[in-house]
Amino acid sequence: MDQTAAKQKHPKGLYVLFVTEMWERFSYYGMRALFVLYMAKALLFDKDLGSQIYGSYTGLVYLTPLIGGYVADRYWGNRKSIIIGGLLMAAGQFMMFLSGSMFHNIGTSSVFMFIGLGLLIFGNGFFKPNISTMVGQLYPPGDKRIDSAFTIFYMGINLGAFIAPLLCGYLGDTGDPADFKWGFLAACFGMILSVIMFIYLKNKYIVTPEGEQIGVLPNSARNNDNVVDELKVEFPKKFFLIWGGVAVLLFCLFMFGLNFSEIPGLVTDFIKKPLSYSHQFGGIDFDLIGSVIFSLAIAIPALIISDPSLTKIEKQRIAVIYIACFFVIFFWSAFEQAGASLTYFAEEQTERHLFGWQIPASYFQSVNAVAIVIFAPLFAILWTALGKRNMEPASPFKQAMGLFLLAMGYLLIAFGVKGLLPGVKVSMIWLLALYTIHTFGELCLSPIGLSMVNKLSPVRLASLLMGVYFLANATANKFAGTLSGLYPESVVPTEVVQKVNTDHKFTILKDNAKVKEYDGKTVYLSEMIDYSVIKDESEKKSVIITVEGASIVKAKSFVGFKIENLYQFFMIFVFMAGIASVILFVIASWMVKMMHGVR
């Protein structure tokens, strides 16, 4: 009875990893809660630039786990990778503190910010995939507690994500740009604490059921029989050349498109300003970092599955991981609006007063995390109870449910803002409801995805395939930044002067009407005002409209759809996540067969 009871409990090592990851996520989400606000309020970046930088940063944060996973698999092992990654991230947060300390000098402050972002990106690459891999190694193969363990681990992630915006937001999001640095410094201390606790507790608790130390040796040098040679990952050089060439071709395609007559001019523009260069391909803007991420997202998974040592069953299981990763892109590109466009929405168009106190916009990023902390144990109990009755849905079905819930959250807020004019604020209930529904979707998809990768991966490729899973997150986060740039951005000047072609139809009406579609912009009127139309003698086909107290909304488009208001913006995510959910439901049974008994 005692042995049976012990098997039902989770090993203590899970809670060591829980606390280590909690403080690392405190560091990450504390900085993220302030990042776009810092760029907008302290560095005075506009929303398009801020969204581009945000998407590039969060995209690269999830790209570098490929490097960290490979290094851990072949050379360092999980433990060394985690410690080095944690120290790099602590240094990165300190660079952000220095950036915030000299925000008056935007040039110098920006340099420190980009150095800090670089350290955070590479540090996360070594930390993130390796700590997730170690969770699965605490349990024997086939243990039914693994899904529950990853859900508990995920609760630790979100406990840190809950505390971070509150503390870092309290210190940094005060309305005074000079205070952002204190929020970044708190994130630095959180990362240092994470590393210290891991170093102090790892030897005693992070062990296998047999008592062996986990994560000391590279993953390519371990298995239950200690047969090292059979676990080495050896890709023929020609495979690297083939898929490296494919990656280069894809990069050029994303960067310069298929219009060969324009390529010389585009290359010239890229050489002059590589960091600010962007090119529209398929209705989507691609910059340097986005092109790198999207091309690697195709080439690297292809390289891995071309490993000649893989068996047919291993290839099919890896294919399931890849299909899941594809749909993860749609989920996270919509979900990660929390750090950018939804933060803008909270700041500008959400009524945040409560009992005479204005809630900082950064605080709303804690809503999802506190909901995770509340509901994650319930989901863990649910999956365990269903598993005992052989009624638990397979992982692909759970992920389809997650996408469906994500679409429902955006559908709710889309109706909440329908007809909303710029400058008008809505109740915070709409944003709170969206985050709560998204939490249920996240609990269906994210911890289940981590568990799926762990269960389906060959041991010798465990960290590398976890890196591929995070590569899908990199693609999603970069895409999230692109989508966030579509957020309707209004400007409210005291006087608006627009030159328009007389062939365009326009009218000025009473009561919050608008002048429709001219010069790529829409003008909303807050009240009936005096205006004048003056003929321009030099250009008879144009006129000048002078409007006092008007608000201009920049017209934007996405794959042919025009976005002029928040309703249209949020509906993008409804259709994107909804369609992905339906497709995944349809193919889920086929994916389960390819898993060959793994649930």
Side-chain angles (χ1 to χ4, degrees), residues 55 58-60 62-63 290 292-298 325-326 328-330 332-333 468-482:
T58 55
L60 290 173
Y62 285 99
L63 177 65
V292 170
I293 292 174
F294 299 146
S295 57
L296 292 179
I298 298 172
C325 287
F326 175 75
V328 157
I329 293 172
F330 294 99
W332 289 116
S333 61
V468 170
Y469 183 79
F470 289 122
L471 176 57
N473 283 265
T475 305
N477 277 268
K478 179 56 183 172
F479 190 37
T482 300

Side-chain angles (χ1 to χ4, degrees), residues 55-84:
S56 296
Y57 163 64
T58 55
L60 290 173
V61 156
Y62 285 99
L63 177 65
T64 50
L66 275 170
I67 301 173
Y70 182 78
V71 171
D73 278 343
R74 294 299 303 272
Y75 305 110
W76 287 357
N78 299 129
R79 294 189 179 195
K80 185 176 180 180
S81 298
I82 288 170
I83 293 170
I84 291 176

Side-chain angles (χ1 to χ4, degrees), residues 158-436:
N158 285 276
L159 182 59
F162 162 61
I163 300 170
L166 299 181
L167 180 57
C168 295
Y170 174 77
L171 296 173
D173 187 14
T174 64
D176 183 354
D179 288 336
F180 280 111
K181 63 178 179 290
W182 303 119
F184 296 141
L185 187 62
C188 176
F189 284 138
M191 193 64 248
I192 292 172
L193 184 59
S194 173
V195 175
I196 290 174
M197 295 189 70
F198 180 78
I199 292 173
Y200 181 71
L201 298 172
K202 60 181 172 54
N203 291 337
K204 185 175 181 180
Y205 296 112
I206 304 179
V207 295
T208 66
E210 295 75 29
E212 297 177 2
Q213 296 288 314
I214 292 174
V216 176
L217 296 175
N219 288 324
S220 59
R222 69 171 180 86
N223 78 337
N224 293 334
D225 299 322
N226 294 318
V227 182
V228 176
D229 291 339
E230 294 181 3
L231 293 174
K232 288 185 178 179
V233 184
E234 297 291 348
F235 294 105
K237 291 183 179 179
K238 66 178 181 180
F239 284 25
F240 282 104
L241 293 175
I242 291 170
W243 293 112
V246 169
V248 171
L249 290 175
L250 289 169
F251 172 80
C252 293
L253 177 64
F254 289 130
M255 281 290 286
F256 308 118
L258 293 172
N259 192 335
F260 297 104
S261 63
E262 294 183 2
I263 288 179
L266 294 173
V267 172
T268 301
D269 292 341
F270 170 65
I271 293 173
K272 290 179 179 177
K273 296 181 179 180
L275 296 180
S276 61
Y277 170 88
S278 67
H279 168 67
Q280 194 171 80
F281 179 69
I284 302 173
D285 286 327
F286 291 89
D287 58 9
L288 173 62
I289 293 174
S291 299
V292 170
I293 292 174
F294 299 146
S295 57
L296 292 179
I298 298 172
I300 290 179
L303 170 65
I304 294 172
I305 205 168
S306 66
D307 178 3
S309 70
L310 291 172
T311 65
K312 180 181 178 181
I313 291 177
E314 285 176 333
K315 286 187 176 182
Q316 290 183 346
R317 287 175 173 170
I318 291 174
V320 172
I321 293 175
Y322 289 176
I323 295 169
C325 287
F326 175 75
F327 286 99
V328 157
I329 293 172
F330 294 99
F331 183 89
W332 289 116
S333 61
F335 187 93
E336 283 298 324
Q337 296 303 308
S341 65
L342 291 176
T343 297
Y344 294 140
F345 180 75
E347 175 73 18
E348 298 172 357
Q349 295 202 245
T350 301
E351 175 52 56
R352 295 180 280 119
H353 287 91
L354 186 65
F355 304 118
W357 171 59
Q358 180 165 283
I359 302 172
S362 57
Y363 276 29
F364 284 86
Q365 294 192 42
S366 286
V367 176
N368 167 253
V370 71
I372 289 282
V373 173
I374 294 171
F375 293 108
L378 300 180
F379 273 76
I381 293 170
L382 174 64
W383 301 140
T384 301
L386 291 174
K388 290 179 179 178
R389 294 169 174 80
N390 293 321
M391 296 173 61
E392 183 179 4
S395 297
F397 286 104
K398 292 178 183 177
Q399 291 185 308
M401 291 164 56
L403 279 162
F404 176 77
L405 289 166
L406 183 79
M408 290 302 99
Y410 275 112
L411 183 63
L412 177 69
I413 201 169
F415 283 109
V417 302
K418 191 172 185 179
L420 187 70
L421 297 176
V424 178
K425 296 187 177 183
V426 298
S427 170
M428 67 179 77
I429 294 297
W430 294 105
L431 201 52
L432 295 175
L434 174 140
Y435 280 134
T436 303

